[in-house]
Amino acid sequence: MNFDPRFSGRKFASVGTRPIRPDGVDKVTGRARYGADFNMAGQLVGRVLRSPHAHAKIRKIDTSKAEALAGVKAVITAADLPDLTDGDAAMYDILDNCLARTKALYDGHAVAAVAAVDAHTARQALKLIEVDYEVLPHVTDVDEAMAHHAPLINDTVFTEGLEEKPVKPSNVTKRSQFGHGDVHQGFGHADFIVERSFKTEQTHQGYIEPHACVASVSSDGTAELWVCTQGHFVYRQHCAQLLGMEASKLRVTSSEIGGGFGGKTHVWAEPVALALSRKAGRPVKLVMTRDEVFRASGPTSATSIDVKIGARKDGTITAAEATLRYSSGPYAGAWAEVGAMTAFACYKLDNVKTVGYEVLVNRPKTAAYRAPSAPMAAFAVESAVDELAKELGIDPVEFRIRNAAQEGTQSSYGPVYGPIGIGPTLEAAKNHAHMKAPLKKNQGRGMACGFWFNFGGQTCTDLNIGMDGSVSLAVGTVDVGGSRASLSLVAAEELGIDYSQVKAIVADTSSLGYNDMTDGSRGTFSSSMATISAARNAIKTLRERAAQMWDISVDDVAWEQGHAVAKGEKHGNLGKLSLKEIAAQSGKTGGPIAGHSELVADGAGVSFATHICDVEVDPETGATRVIRYTVVQDAGKAVHPTYVEGQYQGGAAQGIGWALNEEYIYGKDGRLQNAGFLDYRIPVCSDLPMIDTQILEIPNPNHPYGVRGVGETSIVPPLAAIANAVSNAAGVRMTHIPMSPPRILAAIEAEREG
Amino acid sequence: MAGVAVSTTINGDSVEYLCQPDETLLDVLRDRLGLTGAKEGCGTGDCGACSVILDDRLVCSCLVLGAEAEGRRIETVEGMAHGDKLHPLQQKFLEHAALQCGICTPGFLIAAKDLLAKNPDPTEEEIRFGLAGNLCRCTGYDKIVRAVQDAAHVMKGA
Ligand code: FES
Ligand code: FES
C-alpha cells in the first residue's frame, strides 16, 4: 500500500489525537490479566531444573526419586521432548535451549522439569532429581571465545562465510560482510583517521513480567496455551512443531504482556509446560522466577568492536570500516550481521566495509532486545565519529550533517534510501534549545545518531460492524504498549467515525489468520495497514448496502465522514446514510457487514533518531548522573503521539541503564553473579530526569498515512550519546560500556598517569 | 504442614483464609484470594510490582508472610476506585499514558497513593525518590511523574 497523496497536508480527524487507550481502565484497576494471572481448574505447578555449570556433559539424569514423591504428577527430561525438528537447525537450537539434550551449555540451562500439586512439592521434587554432570572447560568472554586455545562449545561448527571452509572447528559460527567502494583507497585520501576498539557488556531486556504460561493438553490431542508473548502465532508454530502437533489443534491466547522488548519472541518454557501437561494429563502453570529470567532468558550480545574512520580536512568522510564480534550464547545467531548492517547506516559513504563475527559463548541464548545489535554498533561508530569531529575541529552535529545519508544515498548495507529522517533529526537537534543550554563544572554534553530498519511482515485483521453501528477490530499483533489505541484511531479515521465507537482486541490463534510477531517496530505499522485495508473493504460493502437501500447504482455512492452519500444531481434529495443506519438494516440487505485483510506489510520505512544528553561526572567517585536528555526521532506519522513519546522515552531510559549500569557479571566458574534486580540494577525513577521528545514526521512513502515504526530506534543512540557526554565531562574517551563508576575512575586515572 | 488461619481486612472487607506458614502475602492475595492486581516481578523486594499498603505502611507483599496479615488492614489496587469512579491517580495515569505494558502500574498506583497520603504536595524530586522502589522498564518514568504531579494537584483541589 503506497502513501496516499491525499493524505499529505491532510487534516486527520482521529489520527494524531491522544485518547485514552481501550485497555487502560483494566490496567489501572488490576483487572487486566497477564501471563501469571490466569488459572485453570485442576492445574499443576511446573518448575524447571537448571544446570549450575557453564558447560557440562550430561551423563545421566535419574528422576526416579522425584517421581516417587507424593504430589508429583510428571517429571520430564529431553527424552520427553524428542527431536522432531527434521533438520531445521534454528528450531533444533530452540528445542535444545528448552531442555538440554547432551550438554548443559550455560549456567541456567534447563535440564529437567516437574509438575506437582503445589509449588512446595515441585521445589522438593527438583531437589530429588539426580543429574550426573561431567564438567567441561567453559568460555564466557567474546574475545576469549575467538582465541585459538578457547574451549570449543560445539565441535561441529565450522565458520560459514569464509572463502574456504576452515579445517578446524571454532566458536565462530559465521562471518558476514557489507559495504561498497574501496576503503583502502578511501583511507589514502583522508587527512585524519581515528581508530579505536570498543567493548559492550551483555544486558537483559529487563521486562518486569517474568515469562509465564498455562498449558493444557487434552487426551484427544488438542491443546490450549495461555502465555505472555510478543507473537502467539509464532509460539503456536514453534510449540506445535516441537511437540509434533498440528498447528490448528493448538490454540494460543496471548495474555496482556508485561514487557518484552524482543525477549518474548521465541519459546523458552512453553514447550516444556505443554510436555508436562501431556504427560500429567492436567493443565500446568509455569512461571519463571526472576533468577531464571536472568539466567536463562533474554540477554543481548556482549560485543567487541573495532572502528576506523577517515576524513578530509573539509569534514568529508572518505572511508569507514568496522569489525564487529557479537556473542550469541551457545547457539548460532545473526547478531553481528545485523550490527554490521546498521553500523554506518546514518552516513553517506563512498567507501565502507563492515565485517561481523558470530561468536559462541557459555551464556544464555542471545535474544533480540529493541533494535537488536544496533546500539552497540552505534556506540562504537558514533564515539569514533565524535572523536574525529574533535580532531577536525568541527562541531560534532555539523560534522554529522555534512556526512548524513539522504534520499538516494546507497546505504552502507546495500539498499538505496527513499525519503529519510537523518538530516532533519540532526537539524532539529542543532536548533534545539538543549544544544545551547550552559553547562556547569564536571558536566558534559554528548549527542549521537541512530538507525533502525523497521519491519513489516505478515498481518491479518478483521473488522466487524455490529448492528448497532459499533466496530470490533480484531488484530493479531500483540499490544506491547498502546497499539490497540492507535489501531482504533486508524479504524475510526478510515471509517469516518468516532474513536469511542471502535473496540480493538488481540485475537487468539484460532480466531484469526497468521500474524508475525510484534517485533521490528511493526505492531502499529503493519496492523494499521491491514486495518486500513479491512476498513476499505468494509466501506465497499457499506456503499453497496446503501445503494441497495436507496435502490441506486453503487457507483453513485461515495463514503464521506462516516456516511454514505448519493452523488449526482439525480440523487439530490437522497441525503446521507450513517454507518449506524446502514448497519441497523444489514439483516435485510445481505447480512453482517465486515472487512477483512490479509497482507504482507512491505515497505516499513527506515527510522532515524538523534539524541542529546548532558551528564555530570563526579571525578572523585566516577558516579555519573544524566541531568538532561532530549530525543528527536522521525515517526513518519505519529498515530497516537503520547504513545510515540512513550516509546522514545522508554528506549532512551533503557539505553541510559545500558550505558551506565547494566551488565551480566560472570565469575571465573562461569556462573552468573548478579541474577536479580538488586545487583543487576536498571534505572529507577530517581536516577533519571524528564526525557524531552520531539517527533518529526517525514512520511513513509509505503504507508497510506505515512506511518513508520517507532518502537526501537530510541535505544540506538543513547549508549553513544552518553559515552560522548561522559567523555566530554571527564576529559577522557570512554570505550567500555557500561560506564560504571569503577570504569570511569580507572579511565580518569589512566589519563592522569598519561 | 498445617495451615494458619488468618482474619484480616482487605480493601475494607473482612476476609478469612488458611495459608501455609511460609507463604507470602503476595501468594495469598494472588493464588488464594484471586486478587491478581499485585504482581510478582522479582519476589525479593526489588521491583515494587507487589506493593500493597499494610496498616498505612507501604510494603512489598512478597516480603510479608500471609500469616502476618492477621488483624491488619490491607489496601490493594483493586480497592482504589470507588465503584465505577476511578481514583484521581488512576485517572491521571490513563490521561498521561503513564503506562505502556502496565505490569508495574498497580505497584506504582499504590506507592503513589501512599506517597500522596504522607506528602500531598511533593516536589518532582520527592516524587522521584518516593517512587524509587518501583521499577518500570517501559516508560522512562517521565509520564508517571507527570501523572502523579497532576493527580496531587487535583487531589489538593478536591
Ligand atoms: S515482587 Fe515484590 S518487590 Fe518485586
Ligand atoms: S509500563 Fe511496563 S513496566 Fe512500567
Side-chain angles (χ1 to χ4, degrees):
Chain A
M1 283 175 114
N2 283 344
F3 180 63
D4 190 334
R6 284 180 301 144
F7 289 106
S8 3
R10 145 182 177 153
K11 269 198 94 51
F12 286 93
S14 294
V15 165
T17 61
R18 302 168 182 249
I20 286 174
R21 64 201 278 172
D23 50 318
V25 171
D26 279 356
K27 286 186 171 154
V28 297
T29 53
R31 227 172 310 177
R33 290 198 298 175
Y34 292 81
D37 298 340
F38 181 78
N39 296 299
M40 287 178 84
Q43 106 196 342
L44 303 170
V45 177
R47 285 255 167 190
V48 175
L49 183 70
R50 297 183 181 279
S51 164
H53 304 297
H55 196 191
K57 194 183 264 169
I58 300 169
R59 285 206 202 101
K60 188 169 169 259
I61 305 179
D62 183 350
T63 58
S64 55
K65 286 188 192 135
E67 275 159 19
L69 183 70
V72 171
K73 302 295 175 185
V75 183
I76 63 165
T77 64
D80 298 278
L81 256 188
D83 177 14
L84 305 173
T85 58
D86 199 17
D88 180 340
M91 274 317 285
Y92 180 83
D93 288 349
I94 289 177
L95 173 71
D96 190 60
N97 194 42
C98 285
L99 271 183
R101 301 270 88 231
T102 53
K103 286 209 289 183
L105 295 167
Y106 55 92
D107 164 33
H109 197 167
V111 294
V114 303
V117 287
D118 56 29
H120 182 79
T121 312
R123 273 196 301 268
Q124 292 293 111
L126 288 190
K127 288 187 194 141
L128 295 174
I129 299 176
E130 289 166 6
V131 187
D132 181 8
Y133 291 107
E134 177 188 331
V135 177
L136 302 169
H138 66 271
V139 59
T140 53
D141 179 80
V142 60
D143 286 323
E144 283 171 22
M146 283 182 81
H148 291 301
H149 60 265
L152 279 184
I153 290 167
N154 180 343
D155 59 14
T156 65
V157 166
F158 292 83
T159 312
E160 279 177 42
L162 298 179
E163 269 167 26
E164 275 173 39
K165 187 180 169 186
V167 287
K168 285 208 307 206
S170 81
N171 289 326
V172 179
T173 55
K174 190 177 165 191
R175 176 191 186 275
S176 53
Q177 184 178 326
F178 298 90
H180 55 254
D182 180 340
V183 284
H184 187 68
Q185 228 172 47
F187 285 120
H189 297 140
D191 298 311
F192 290 95
I193 291 177
V194 163
E195 208 173 346
R196 280 251 185 220
S197 296
F198 300 88
K199 278 202 103 155
T200 69
E201 295 301 328
Q202 184 165 44
T203 56
H204 193 277
Q205 294 80 348
Y207 30 82
I208 307 300
E209 180 199 33
H211 299 265
C213 68
V214 180
S216 176
V217 181
S218 169
S219 53
D220 64 3
T222 61
E224 293 198 34
L225 181 68
W226 162 276
V227 60
C228 57
T229 168
Q230 288 174 248
H232 44 316
F233 291 91
V234 175
Y235 273 36
R236 176 181 65 173
Q237 262 186 342
H238 285 183
C239 290
Q241 192 180 346
L242 295 181
L243 280 108
M245 300 176 66
E246 276 173 39
S248 62
K249 299 226 168 104
L250 173 59
R251 179 180 183 182
V252 184
T253 306
S254 67
S255 68
E256 293 297 337
I257 175 171
F261 315 111
K264 291 175 184 166
T265 52
H266 73 71
V267 294
W268 311 90
E270 297 74 13
V272 175
L274 284 162
L276 282 170
S277 170
R278 181 167 64 186
K279 195 160 182 181
R282 282 168 67 171
V284 172
K285 181 170 184 171
L286 211 162
V287 182
M288 279 197 198
T289 62
R290 179 54 55 182
D291 175 85
E292 290 180 286
V293 170
F294 275 113
R295 284 170 67 210
S297 80
T300 63
S301 303
T303 73
S304 153
I305 303 173
D306 306 329
V307 178
K308 184 176 174 187
I309 310 177
R312 275 198 296 266
K313 280 196 206 100
D314 67 358
T316 317
I317 297 178
T318 59
E321 191 175 6
T323 304
L324 307 99
R325 307 163 201 94
Y326 279 52
S327 70
S328 60
Y331 305 105
W335 308 106
E337 186 172 348
V338 176
M341 289 170 87
T342 61
F344 291 108
C346 292
Y347 299 105
K348 189 171 154 214
L349 300 167
D350 292 334
N351 306 298
V352 55
K353 179 182 170 190
T354 55
V355 175
Y357 294 100
E358 318 294 340
V359 188
L360 300 183
V361 291
N362 292 113
R363 295 184 180 220
K365 186 179 194 306
T366 296
Y369 179 19
R370 206 169 197 157
S373 302
M376 306 83 136
F379 159 61
V381 167
E382 290 292 288
S383 295
V385 165
D386 233 51
E387 203 173 350
L388 190 53
K390 205 166 257 173
E391 293 218 4
L392 290 160
I394 304 177
D395 173 76
V397 185
E398 207 53 60
F399 180 54
R400 286 175 172 87
I401 290 174
R402 241 175 258 184
N403 292 287
Q406 299 157 351
E407 183 165 359
T409 298
Q410 184 185 6
S411 66
S412 55
Y413 62 97
V416 173
Y417 288 132
I420 52 171
I422 179 67
T425 62
L426 279 163
E427 294 288 348
K430 179 173 142 186
N431 297 320
H432 199 283
H434 185 167
M435 272 298 181
K436 291 157 203 114
L439 289 169
K440 297 198 194 109
K441 193 166 172 246
N442 295 328
Q443 296 184 348
R445 175 165 302 142
M447 53 81 54
C449 301
F451 157 88
W452 185 244
F453 309 94
N454 288 340
F455 177 62
Q458 299 188 66
T459 314
C460 180
T461 295
D462 275 0
L463 186 151
N464 288 290
I465 299 176
M467 293 218 280
D468 62 354
S470 65
V471 173
S472 315
L473 182 66
V475 303
T477 47
V478 169
D479 180 352
V480 296
S483 63
R484 271 165 291 189
S486 58
L487 297 173
S488 300
L489 284 169
V490 167
E493 185 74 47
E494 219 26 67
L495 293 168
I497 58 174
D498 193 69
Y499 169 79
S500 62
Q501 274 175 266
V502 184
K503 173 81 180 163
I505 59 137
V506 179
D508 67 57
T509 57
S510 295
S511 313
L512 199 62
Y514 176 83
N515 280 264
D516 284 330
M517 294 273 173
T518 298
D519 63 0
S521 300
R522 76 176 216 99
T524 291
F525 166 76
S526 60
S527 271
S528 71
M529 237 149 120
T531 299
I532 290 168
S533 132
R536 288 181 183 176
N537 290 335
I539 287 170
K540 191 165 161 274
T541 307
L542 287 161
R543 285 173 46 233
E544 284 162 9
R545 300 298 177 84
Q548 207 179 325
M549 286 162 75
W550 279 325
D551 198 16
I552 64 175
S553 159
V554 68
D555 297 334
D556 291 344
V557 182
W559 190 259
E560 286 169 6
Q561 289 164 354
H563 293 78
V565 183
K567 288 285 176 191
E569 298 255 304
K570 56 181 179 207
H571 305 312
N573 56 356
L574 284 179
K576 293 173 173 183
L577 283 170
S578 69
L579 181 144
K580 198 168 171 176
E581 287 164 329
I582 302 168
Q585 297 300 316
S586 60
K588 295 186 204 122
T589 58
I593 303 174
H596 307 283
S597 170
E598 299 86 26
L599 50 81
V600 177
D602 284 331
V606 293
S607 164
F608 291 92
T610 297
H611 289 196
I612 317 166
C613 163
D614 295 352
V615 301
E616 184 167 314
V617 179
D618 182 338
E620 301 303 316
T621 62
T624 303
R625 268 196 83 75
V626 175
I627 50 178
R628 185 167 179 180
Y629 204 99
T630 303
V631 177
V632 185
Q633 187 179 319
D634 173 20
K637 173 75 201 168
V639 177
H640 191 308
T642 313
Y643 285 103
V644 173
E645 291 163 9
Q647 290 297 321
Y648 291 7
Q649 293 165 334
Q654 288 181 320
I656 291 170
W658 195 340
L660 295 176
N661 282 320
E662 297 176 31
E663 68 177 301
Y664 268 46
I665 298 170
Y666 279 90
K668 280 213 164 28
D669 56 2
R671 290 189 184 147
L672 182 60
Q673 298 186 332
N674 59 335
F677 278 136
L678 187 63
D679 299 315
Y680 182 99
R681 193 171 176 283
I682 71 171
V684 302
C685 203
S686 53
D687 292 329
L688 298 179
M690 290 295 185
I691 295 169
D692 205 1
T693 57
Q694 189 176 346
I695 300 174
L696 303 187
E697 297 188 328
I698 294 122
N700 171 10
N702 306 311
H703 184 282
Y705 298 171
V707 170
R708 295 174 196 264
V710 296
E712 296 174 286
T713 313
S714 52
I715 201 172
V716 184
L719 276 55
I722 298 161
N724 289 335
V726 171
S727 301
N728 289 333
V732 46
R733 177 55 51 189
M734 297 304 301
T735 57
H736 195 161
I737 293 274
M739 296 171 285
S740 53
R743 281 204 188 105
I744 292 182
L745 262 195
I748 293 175
E749 271 157 26
E751 180 81 0
R752 258 189 228 136
E753 284 154 20
Chain B
M1 265 187 288
V4 183
V6 176
S7 22
T8 185
T9 305
I10 301 179
N11 299 325
D13 299 327
S14 1
V15 175
E16 294 185 350
Y17 55 82
L18 277 178
C19 70
Q20 295 301 321
D22 63 349
E23 203 171 325
T24 67
L25 176 58
L26 178 61
D27 284 343
V28 168
L29 290 172
R30 292 180 52 84
D31 299 340
R32 293 195 186 268
L33 305 175
L35 292 169
T36 55
K39 308 296 179 192
E40 178 164 325
C42 66
T44 51
D46 299 312
C47 77
C50 63
S51 299
V52 301
I53 297 173
L54 184 65
D55 286 350
D56 302 318
R57 232 185 95 213
L58 181 68
V59 296
C60 295
S61 62
C62 71
L63 297 184
V64 176
L65 292 173
E68 290 178 85
E70 172 64 34
R72 320 269 294 263
R73 256 180 317 113
I74 300 165
E75 285 176 65
T76 72
V77 71
E78 285 92 346
M80 275 181 80
H82 283 289
D84 67 352
K85 192 162 166 27
L86 295 178
H87 186 281
L89 276 163
Q90 293 173 310
Q91 185 60 35
K92 291 302 170 191
F93 266 58
L94 289 180
E95 288 171 15
H96 286 266
L99 49 141
Q100 283 175 29
C101 80
I103 193 89
C104 66
T105 308
F108 268 99
L109 287 167
I110 286 290
K113 182 168 186 260
D114 177 72
L115 172 73
L116 295 185
K118 287 165 185 154
N119 180 358
D121 193 13
T123 61
E124 182 190 331
E125 200 178 355
E126 285 166 343
I127 293 174
R128 287 191 178 274
F129 280 90
L131 300 179
N134 292 73
L135 298 180
C136 174
R137 190 58 156 173
C138 299
T139 63
Y141 305 103
D142 182 300
K143 293 184 190 302
I144 293 177
V145 173
R146 288 177 205 277
V148 175
Q149 285 172 325
D150 198 2
H153 187 75
V154 169
M155 286 163 73
K156 268 188 305 178

